[in-house]
Amino acid sequence: MKPSLLSSTLAALIAGTSAQVIQAQALDSVALPTLTYEGVLKIGNQAVTGTYVLKFSILDRSGHEQWNSGDQSVGVSNGL
């Protein structure tokens, strides 16, 4: 079972930037912005350690996916 990492709060925080990212993709000469994120990965109430395959998404205000990272192998130590 893969845990859900993108909470509704995180989605709401980054949803406002999705239009800017899409506009930047349309312009070849414009570098895409870097998105910094922070979170804790838990299974049940237990913070996890190990390597997990995660996919990060940017959602618009309606909850529709505007972009995703594809599968990313992420090292996690004590939930971070």
Side-chain angles (χ1 to χ4, degrees), residues 29-54:
S29 62
V30 176
L32 292 175
T34 299
L35 178 64
T36 302
Y37 63 93
E38 189 175 307
V40 177
L41 182 59
K42 294 181 177 181
I43 296 178
N45 289 326
Q46 188 72 27
V48 298
T49 296
T51 302
Y52 293 85
V53 176
L54 305 173

